[in-house]
Amino acid sequence: MKKWNLVIDVAKCFNCNCCTLAVHDEYSGNSFPGYTEEMPRLGHRWFEIRQREQGEFPVVDVAYLPVTCNHCDEPSCMKGAPEGAINKRADGIVIFDPVHSKGHEELVKSCPYGMIWWNEEKQLPQTWPFDAHLLDQGWKETRASQVCPTGAIRTVHAEDEEMQRRAREEDLQVLHPEFGNKPRIYYKNIDRYFKCFVAGTLEGTLEGTVECIQGARVVLFRDTERIAETESDTFGDFRFRGLEAKGTSYRIEISDPRFASNSVPFTLTKSRYLGAIALEPKA
Amino acid sequence: MSLATTKLSVMLYGLTHALNFQARRFPEFADRLKEKNFTAQIATADKSIGRHYSFRDGRVGSSSGIDPRPDITITVASAEIGARLFVPWVDQLERTEAMKNFQFGADGSDELIVWFTQTVQQMLTLGDEYGMPMADGTRRFVTNTNGGPLFVYVKDGKVVRATPLEFTDEDAPAWTINARGRNFTPPHKTTLSPHGVSAKSALYSPDRLLYPMKRVDFDPHGERNCQNRGVSGYERISWDEALDIVAGEIKRVKTQHGQGAILGNHGSHHMWGNIGYYISAAYKFFNTIGASRVMHNPDSWEGWYWGAMHHFGYSMRLGQVEIYNTVEDCMKECEMMVFWSADPECTNGSYGAFEATVRRQWLKDLKIELVHIDPYYNHTAALLGGKWIAPKPDSDPALALAIAHVWMTEGLYDKKFVAERCIGFEPWRDYVLGKDDGVPKTPEWQEAETGVPAKDVRALARRWGSKKTYLGAGGVGNGHGGACRAANGIQFARALACLMAMQGMGRPGVNYGHLQFGGPIDVRFYFPGYAEGGLSGDIQNTGMPISLYPRMPQLPSYGTSGQKVPRLRIPEAILEGKTEGYPWSGFTIEGQFAKFSYPAPGHSPVKMLYKYGGASIGTMTETNRYVKAYRTDKLEFVVNQSIWFEGEAKFADVLLPACTQFERWDISDVCNAGGYGLHYQTQMNHRVIVLQHKCIEPLGESKSDIRIFTEICSRLGLGTYFCEGMNELDWVKRLFEASDLPKVISWKQFLKKGYYVVPPLEEGARDPVALRWFYEGRKKDVPEASPLPADYSEQFMMGLQTQSGKFEFECSSLKHFDPDDPERPPIFKYRPSWEGPQTKELYERYPLQLISPHSRFSYHTVADGKQCSTNNISEHRVCVDGYYYWVIRVNAQDASARGIKHHDLVKVYNDRGAVVCAAHVTNRLPRGVAHSYESSAVYDPLGEPGNSVDRGGCINNLTSKRSIAAKVLAMAPNSCLVQVELWDGSTTLAGSAGASATADAGREAMPS
C-alpha cells in the first residue's frame, strides 16, 4: 500500500519557519481526538529548523535542517512503550495516542532525534502526527509542505519500493541512518548541513595592480586522490563543498597561464576559508 | 396622485412588512429588532407624504401620516427623489448628491438614525451565503493580511486553521515566461510570510484587549495623574463609560483649547483591507472629529524620496522608478544581478510574502551571476548564493563612487545614453575623478571607508560594466529600506541612481529590480488599493479624488485643522511645544521642500492624543522620547484604540479594544497599495482580489474600528455622517460594485467563494518594460498616470519629471532649493556618516555599528510578542528563564572579546538607552557590526519607563532621532553606534548621567 513520506531539500530551506508556524497553527488551540491533544502555545516546535553556520567572514555558508518526527519504521520510541501509547499505522504514520501515552514523560528521551516534546500541562509526550487527521479526510499533503515557499518540503505518498527507488535515484538520505530507525523523512542535499567546505580567493598583480584572478583552474586533492576541480570566479573566489573534515588532509593546486602554479596543503577539522592566496608571476 | 407619490407611498408601506418578514426568516434579525423601542418617521419635506414606524419589543408597526413627535425623521425633498433613493439598487452618486444638496437628510437621535438606517440596509444582505462548506464540517472563509491572503477554516465560531490560497482549474491559470529556451511558470497558489502564517496565533493571543479599560488613577473629572502613565494599571469599564469619556474629552478639549488640540495618530499597516483600514475608517474619523495630523516621514523610502527623486523624478512613487514587466525582461536578457542593501527573502517586498521567491530560484537555472552588497550575509544571499560584499554600514556611497570611477576611467558605461538622455554628467565626473577636490574616488580610496578590498570593487565594476545587469536596490528592487534609512541614505540612493543612469536604465537586461516587482499580471483590471481611501471620503490625503471617488461616490471629508506634527518629532511637539518638519508629498518633486512649523499659526498645541495601535516605541527613533512624552500632563488625555495590550497602548488613559480583520468585513486586492505604491500587485504571481469575510464574531467585547468610530461619532451627532447609515458589509459591497469585479463575477458568487483571480496577460499583450521608452527616447508607454501633466517640461509623455526631462546628474531641483547645502548638493558627493567610525569620540565609547532592518518574522509590530507563535522561532526571540528576549546578532570575534556566548543575555546600549537582548553569535557580520531587527512589539522597561533598561527588545530606544539631513525630516536608524556587554541584571541606563553631551554633539545641523 501507499505510505506517507516527506522529502526535504536542505539546499532549498532558508529558515523562513513557515513550516514550524503552520504546524503551530494546526495544533495550537486544536485537539484532534485519536490523533493528538493540542500543542502548547509556547515552547514546542514539532517542526524545528536547526541551523549550521560554517566558515568565517567574508566566506560563510549557512545550512538549515528542518527536523520533525521521522515516523520511523523501526521507531525507538515504541520499544518499551506502554501498550497502545504509540501506534504505527499501516500507512507509515506514527501516532502518540493522546490517551494511552498520558503521563509517560520517559518517552521523551526515547527519540534519538530529540523530536518528542513534553506537554507539562496535559502530561503528554507529543510529536508531529504527520497531519494524519487531515490526510484521513482527503488532504493530499501536509501543512508544512503546503506552506513551504521554496518547495523544500514535499509530501510523498508512495509504495515503499517506489520511495526506495526514488531515494536511490535522487540521492536522498535519512537523518542518522546509523541509528537503524528507518525514518520516513528523507533529505536531499543533506551534505549542505553535515559536510564542510573549503574556500579561498585568488589574487595577483596585473599591470602593477592587485586584481582578483578569475578563471584560474583549482584542483582539489585528498591525499593523492584528485577529487574535484573548479574555476575561480569573477572575484577570484573558489569553493569546494561536501567535504569530510575529520582532520582530513587536502591540497589544492592552482594553475593560471599568467602566474606560477601554486599548491596549498591544508587539513580540515571544520569548514575553512583559506583567505587570499597571492599568485606569483611566472619565473 | 403622481406616479412618484404612489411609488413612494407603496415603498414606505412595504418597508414595515419587509422588516417583519425578514425578522420571521432570520432570528438574528429578529434579535436586532428587539434592541430598540422608538418611533421613526420617513416623510417628504412638505410632509405631504409620510409614514411613521413604531419599533416595540421586536415588532414593527406603521401608520401613514405624520407623527407629531417621532424620535427620528428621515426627510426627502420630494416624492420623486424618495422613490429613487429608497430602492435597493440605488445609484450611489444620486444618493450622495441628494445628501450633499439637502434633498435627503435625517433629524433626531443620531444613534437611532444610525441604528434605523443600518437595520434597513441590513435587510439587503440577510441570508446571503458566504464562505464555502468543507467536507470536515468547517466552513472556508477568506481574509487578507500584510503577509498574504488566507483561507480561514472555521468551526463552531472558532478559527481552526489558516492556510495559503490554493487555486483550482476554475481559476485563471498561471502565466508562463519563456526565457532562454525554457518555460517558467509559478505554482498555482499563493504564499505567506511568517507573520501571515502566525495570524491565527495573534488573533487568539492572550494579550488581546477584550474589554474597554481605564487607567486606575485617571479621573476625567478629577485627578488625571498623567505622570503615572505606563505604571498605574487598568480597570475594566463598560463600553458606554469608555465611549462617554472619550466623546466627553473630545468635546472638552475642543471647547477649552480650540482648533488643532486633538492629535490623531495611527501606525502603519497593522491590519489589511480597504474599508476598515486606517487610510479609510481612521482618516474619516479624524476628519470627522477634527484632529491635527501626524505627518509621516516616507519611512521605507527615505533616501530615494529625499535624494534619488531629484535625479529622475518619480515623485508619485516617492523616488522609486516604474516597475513594469521587468520580470520577463530580466529573465530573458539579464546576465548579472546586484542585490544592494536588498534582502527580499527577509522583508518580502511590500506585503509580497514569498511570491517572488520562486522567481528568484529561477536565477540559478538562468545562470545569472549574483552579487550581494550588505553588511549582513542576508537570507537572500544564503538561499541563492553568489558573491557577498560587506561594506561597513553607511559607507555604500563610497563604494558606488569607486564603481563609477572604474567605469569612467575604463569607458565601461553607456556613453550614448549619458550623452542623449542625461544632463550634468561632466561636473559629477569631475568630482568622481577628483578634478574638483583633488581626491579621485578610486577603489583604493573607498577601501578606507568601506573596508571592501579595492580589487573586489574593480572586479565588480568591470563585470557590471560589461554584462547586462539588474540592480536590485533595497527590499523591493527599486528602493526601500536598508541603507536608505541611514545617515547616508540620501547619498546611497543618489549614488545608485547615478550608477543606473551610467549603464543606460531601460536597456534590455539593464534595469532596477530583483524579480520582486514587475510580474506579468494584469494591472489594468480596476480594483483600488488601500491608499485610494476606502470609505474615508478624504479628498486631501488619499488617492480618493483621483482614483476612487468617481467610482464610489461618498460623502467627502476634510480635516479642518491645518496643524501638522511630524511623526518623528511628536515628543518635541508635546514636551517642548514647538518643532518643524518637511512634508511627505508625492505630487511634485518640490513638494518636499515646503517646511512647516508646529504649532501651526493660530492653532492650539496638542492636548489630547487619539492613538490607533501601539507601535511607536518599537518603530520610531530614539524612542524613550515617546515614552517621556506620554508621562506628562501637557497631554491631558490619551485614548488608545488597540487590538492588543502592548507597546505604547500601556500608556493610555482609556483603552478601546478593536478587533482583527478575522472579525470584521473587508475587501481587498492582495498587495495592492495604490497611491504612492502603484501596482505593487505585480509582486504577486496571481493577482487575487479577496472578499475578507467576517470569519468569526469579535472576541470578548472587542469591536471593529468602524463600529467604535461610529459610536463615538454618534455621541457628537456625527455617526450618520461618519458611516452614511451603512453597515460594514454594505461598504464592502459598494467597493465591489465600484470595481471591475461585477463584470466578471456576481456579488453572490464572490461573497461565497471569497476570491477572484484576475487572468494574467497573454505573452504578446504584456506591459512594456519599465523605462524602455525612456531609453529609446519614445513617448512614455507604461500604465502609470504620473508625472502629472504639468510636470512635463516640453511634450506631454516625453521625458522624465525633472526640469530637463532628462536624468539629471546635477539636479535642477536641488540647485533651486539650496545649491550650497553640504548634505544635499546638486551633484551627489560623499560625506562620512554623522554616526559611525568617523565620529571618533563616540566611536571610542560605542565601537559597534548596529543596523536594524525590518524583521523577518513579524511585520512592524504585527505577530511579534503577545505570545504569538513567532516567539517559538529562535531567530526571532529566545526563551531564557521563561522570558522571550529579542535577538541581536554579534560577530563571533566581537562576542568572544566580550565573553559573550551564543544566546547569552546582553545589554545593548548607548547614551540614548539600553536594551536587553539574547546574543546570536555569528560570522554573517564583519567585526564591528551588529544586527538586530527593529519593530519589537514589546516594550518592557525594568525601571522608570523611558529612563531604564528595556527587556522587551525595542532596539529603536537606541537609534538617533537626528534627521538624515538638516533640510529634510528623515529617519536614520541604520546609523547607530552601540556597545554590547553581558547583562549583569542591572536596570539603570549606563551613561545616562551625562547623557546627551556626546549624543547631542554634532547635532547643530538638526532642524529646530
Side-chain angles (χ1 to χ4, degrees), chain A residues 24 27-30 37-46 117-122 124 126, chain B residues 869 872:
Chain A
H24 186 280
Y27 298 102
S28 175
N30 295 323
E37 259 290 352
E38 64 182 81
M39 174 197 227
R41 177 173 269 273
L42 294 174
H44 281 207
R45 285 184 294 270
W46 295 0
W117 300 80
W118 180 245
N119 185 330
E120 184 66 36
E121 187 203 335
K122 301 202 181 291
L124 279 175
Q126 294 187 293
Chain B
S869 52
N872 294 315

Side-chain angles (χ1 to χ4, degrees), chain B residues 263-266 281-291 559 610 612 709:
Chain B
L263 182 66
N265 186 15
H266 55 82
Y283 276 28
K284 175 86 178 260
F285 176 70
F286 291 139
N287 285 345
T288 299
I289 64 166
Y610 198 115
Y612 187 56
F709 291 145

Side-chain angles (χ1 to χ4, degrees), chain B residues 249-265:
Chain B
E249 284 297 294
I250 291 171
K251 292 175 188 177
R252 181 191 65 79
V253 167
K254 287 175 79 169
T255 44
Q256 265 184 20
H257 301 294
Q259 184 72 282
I262 301 171
L263 182 66
N265 186 15

Side-chain angles (χ1 to χ4, degrees), chain B residues 457-525:
Chain B
V457 177
R458 261 193 302 277
L460 171 64
R462 286 172 185 155
R463 196 73 168 180
W464 188 341
S466 54
K467 296 283 176 191
K468 290 184 283 183
T469 299
Y470 259 65
L471 172 62
V476 297
N478 59 346
H480 250 56
C484 84
R485 287 160 50 91
N488 282 350
I490 289 175
Q491 296 179 36
F492 165 73
R494 296 184 71 182
L496 267 49
C498 291
L499 292 184
M500 283 303 289
M502 284 188 77
Q503 290 306 321
M505 57 187 194
R507 181 155 59 102
V510 176
N511 221 315
Y512 287 89
H514 42 50
L515 302 178
Q516 184 66 34
F517 279 165
I521 59 163
D522 182 0
V523 297
R524 287 166 165 84
F525 184 94

Side-chain angles (χ1 to χ4, degrees), chain B residues 345-668:
Chain B
E345 303 307 348
C346 172
T347 50
N348 304 122
S350 271
Y351 330 114
F354 292 111
E355 289 293 302
T357 303
V358 64
R359 307 195 288 264
R360 281 187 287 271
Q361 286 181 295
W362 295 337
L363 287 166
K364 200 171 182 182
D365 304 315
L366 294 164
K367 299 190 166 50
I368 294 173
E369 190 171 348
L370 306 179
V371 175
H372 305 272
I373 305 177
D374 189 334
Y376 180 54
Y377 183 70
N378 64 42
H379 305 287
T380 309
L383 176 66
L384 302 176
K387 175 67 175 178
W388 174 36
I389 293 174
K392 287 177 193 163
D394 231 359
S395 71
D396 310 62
L399 175 60
L401 280 169
I403 291 170
H405 189 275
V406 174
W407 290 348
M408 288 172 184
T409 51
E410 301 187 12
L412 295 171
Y413 65 97
D414 191 330
K415 296 181 197 74
K416 185 165 181 287
F417 181 87
V418 168
E420 295 176 1
R421 305 271 175 269
C422 308
I423 63 161
F425 184 62
E426 291 73 19
W428 190 57
R429 185 192 57 202
D430 289 350
Y431 166 72
V432 173
L433 297 178
K435 288 184 185 165
D436 68 347
D437 62 357
V439 182
K441 314 304 177 299
T442 62
E444 281 71 18
W445 166 81
Q446 68 80 45
E447 190 167 333
E449 300 294 321
T450 67
V452 177
K455 67 186 170 74
D456 288 1
V457 177
R458 261 193 302 277
L460 171 64
R462 286 172 185 155
R463 196 73 168 180
W464 188 341
S466 54
K467 296 283 176 191
K468 290 184 283 183
T469 299
Y470 259 65
L471 172 62
V476 297
N478 59 346
H480 250 56
C484 84
R485 287 160 50 91
N488 282 350
I490 289 175
Q491 296 179 36
F492 165 73
R494 296 184 71 182
L496 267 49
C498 291
L499 292 184
M500 283 303 289
M502 284 188 77
Q503 290 306 321
M505 57 187 194
R507 181 155 59 102
V510 176
N511 221 315
Y512 287 89
H514 42 50
L515 302 178
Q516 184 66 34
F517 279 165
I521 59 163
D522 182 0
V523 297
R524 287 166 165 84
F525 184 94
Y526 182 78
F527 193 94
Y530 64 63
E532 263 72 88
L535 61 65
S536 68
D538 188 324
I539 52 174
Q540 266 171 305
N541 295 303
T542 72
M544 177 72 60
I546 296 167
S547 170
L548 187 57
Y549 197 84
R551 294 262 195 164
M552 187 165 140
Q554 53 187 287
L555 291 177
S557 77
Y558 186 91
T560 50
S561 167
Q563 177 157 281
K564 297 185 287 257
V565 181
R567 184 173 53 169
L568 293 170
R569 297 287 176 264
I570 290 173
E572 287 70 25
I574 292 168
L575 293 169
E576 296 164 20
K578 62 177 198 173
T579 190
E580 290 175 341
Y582 286 88
W584 171 353
S585 167
F587 283 86
T588 64
I589 293 175
E590 292 76 15
Q592 60 178 255
F593 296 146
K595 184 165 146 181
F596 63 91
S597 300
Y598 167 91
H603 286 66
S604 164
V606 168
K607 298 290 180 182
M608 165 179 165
L609 174 63
Y610 198 115
K611 183 74 178 77
Y612 187 56
S616 302
I617 306 172
T619 59
M620 296 295 101
T621 48
E622 204 168 330
T623 51
N624 277 319
R625 293 182 301 143
Y626 291 78
V627 179
K628 288 171 185 150
Y630 271 113
R631 292 163 56 78
T632 165
D633 58 9
K634 290 179 179 172
L635 262 187
E636 296 172 358
F637 181 60
V638 178
V639 54
N640 195 313
Q641 181 166 318
S642 183
I643 301 170
W644 297 282
F645 188 54
E646 62 180 0
E648 75 201 272
K650 297 182 175 180
F651 292 83
D653 301 324
V654 170
L655 285 160
L656 304 178
C659 69
T660 68
Q661 72 246 316
F662 287 100
E663 300 149 89
R664 59 169 179 79
W665 292 100
D666 218 315
I667 184 170
S668 61

